[in-house]
Amino acid sequence: MSLNLAGPRPTPLRRALTLHLPMAAIVLFAIGPYLWMLLTSLRVESTLFAPNRTLWPAELTPANYLRLFTRTSFAINLLHSVVVALGTVVVGLALSITAAYAFSRYRFPGRRALMLTFLLINMFPLILLIIPLFITMRVLGILDTHLALILAHSTFSIPFATWMMTSYFDAIPRSLDEAALVDGCTPIGALLKVVLPLALPGVIATGIYIFITSWNEYLYASVLAGQDVRTLTVAVQTLIGEYEIAWGLLTAGGVVGALPVTVLFLFIQKRLIAGMTQGAVKG
């Protein structure tokens, strides 16, 4: 007679409850604030503080979104955020790709010290750079411009982006570069024609990282740019008054601000995941 030490096999229902119920609870906990923000933005303003209010509003209305785009300059602020974020992506990728290729393919004095410096920069708060950047951009005469915010956002996005791209380039065999050089390519030609197409998922992942960090940045946008270049994060903060908070407009602005990044992620999530896993292993 044999003893069944493993115990009874779990039923499909028990297995589903054991695996999926905790996952569902975690997902609900994570999206709960966003769901509350969405439902609040669709409520009638007069029912926000009603004593008998419920989680699901009795009446859904787009009035808050109409007020947001017709009575405020939120559409123009949204355009400013798009220009600054895309500009930061272009500048960040151009510099981080070339720097990462040099770190990955060449050995030169100070290489490890520079890489360590790039890593240490991310340990310091952004507020330490706000005074030097403000003075520098005031001297250059570019305060309250898109260029000022693009350069400011590049200061904290390029170091980590360089680290990301270096790991992606390290995963590509150097023999491909050497073969391209033998065929007559210059080092820049080998980068553009051979290495960069293979590292495209990593480039996309790095570009998304730069875009999101620039899109969500508030400190530099509130100090280095005035009303002429007010970005979305600063515009949302202006909806909080001294004596009153326009909760309908505030939550509608939060939903609109989160929508572009969410849609972008949904469209290229496969390439993003491929880029993140590509840099984790070396070929």
Side-chain angles (χ1 to χ4, degrees):
M1 182 179 66
S2 60
L3 297 177
N4 186 7
L5 299 179
R9 298 183 60 182
T11 62
L13 178 60
R14 182 179 178 183
R15 187 184 302 112
L17 291 177
T18 304
L19 294 178
H20 299 294
L21 193 58
M23 294 174 57
I26 294 174
V27 171
L28 183 61
F29 179 78
I31 68 174
Y34 300 97
L35 182 61
W36 175 87
M37 182 172 62
L38 176 62
L39 294 177
T40 303
S41 67
L42 295 173
R43 288 179 184 269
V44 179
E45 189 78 18
S46 59
T47 63
L48 288 177
F49 301 100
N52 58 344
R53 63 185 182 274
T54 58
L55 178 62
W56 186 266
E59 180 183 356
L60 299 178
T61 175
N64 291 320
Y65 293 92
L66 295 177
R67 289 171 54 203
L68 184 68
F69 286 102
T70 57
R71 299 186 181 181
T72 67
S73 59
F74 201 79
I76 300 176
N77 303 137
L78 188 65
L79 180 61
H80 289 323
S81 289
V82 171
V83 172
V84 172
L86 291 180
T88 307
V89 170
V90 173
V91 174
L93 285 181
L95 295 179
S96 61
I97 287 175
T98 51
Y101 185 73
F103 283 125
S104 175
R105 293 302 192 259
Y106 299 100
R107 297 295 181 267
F108 50 86
R111 174 183 174 274
R112 293 181 62 87
L114 286 174
M115 291 291 293
L116 182 61
T117 302
F118 279 179
L119 186 62
L120 292 177
I121 287 176
N122 294 278
M123 299 174 59
F124 295 97
L126 299 180
I127 196 171
L128 293 179
L129 297 178
I130 194 66
I131 295 179
L133 285 175
F134 183 87
I135 296 175
T136 301
M137 292 179 182
R138 185 182 62 180
V139 172
L140 296 177
I142 59 174
L143 280 177
D144 197 12
T145 62
H146 293 110
L147 180 60
L149 287 182
I150 290 173
L151 295 178
H153 291 178
S154 299
T155 59
F156 61 82
S157 61
I158 288 178
F160 189 72
T162 302
W163 264 87
M164 293 177 64
M165 289 306 306
T166 301
S167 65
Y168 298 136
F169 288 150
D170 286 342
I172 299 175
R174 297 188 183 182
S175 58
L176 299 178
D177 304 50
E178 297 171 356
L181 295 175
V182 171
D183 290 339
C185 281
T186 62
I188 297 297
L191 169 64
L192 297 177
K193 297 178 181 179
V194 178
V195 179
L196 207 55
L198 296 176
L200 185 59
V203 174
I204 294 176
T206 305
I208 294 175
Y209 160 76
I210 297 175
F211 183 89
I212 293 176
T213 54
S214 176
W215 184 269
N216 295 329
E217 200 279 325
Y218 171 78
L219 178 62
Y220 291 166
S222 62
V223 176
L224 301 177
Q227 295 184 358
D228 295 337
V229 193
R230 178 176 290 171
T231 59
L232 181 141
T233 53
V234 181
V236 170
Q237 191 274 337
T238 59
L239 298 176
I240 303 176
E242 184 177 359
Y243 301 104
E244 182 183 5
I245 299 177
W247 286 108
L249 293 178
L250 185 64
T251 52
V255 171
V256 174
L259 192 60
V261 177
T262 304
V263 173
L264 178 66
F265 178 80
L266 291 178
F267 273 106
I268 57 179
Q269 58 178 329
K270 292 183 179 180
R271 288 188 175 273
L272 177 62
I273 295 173
M276 289 181 174
T277 56
Q278 178 183 347
V281 292
K282 292 185 178 181

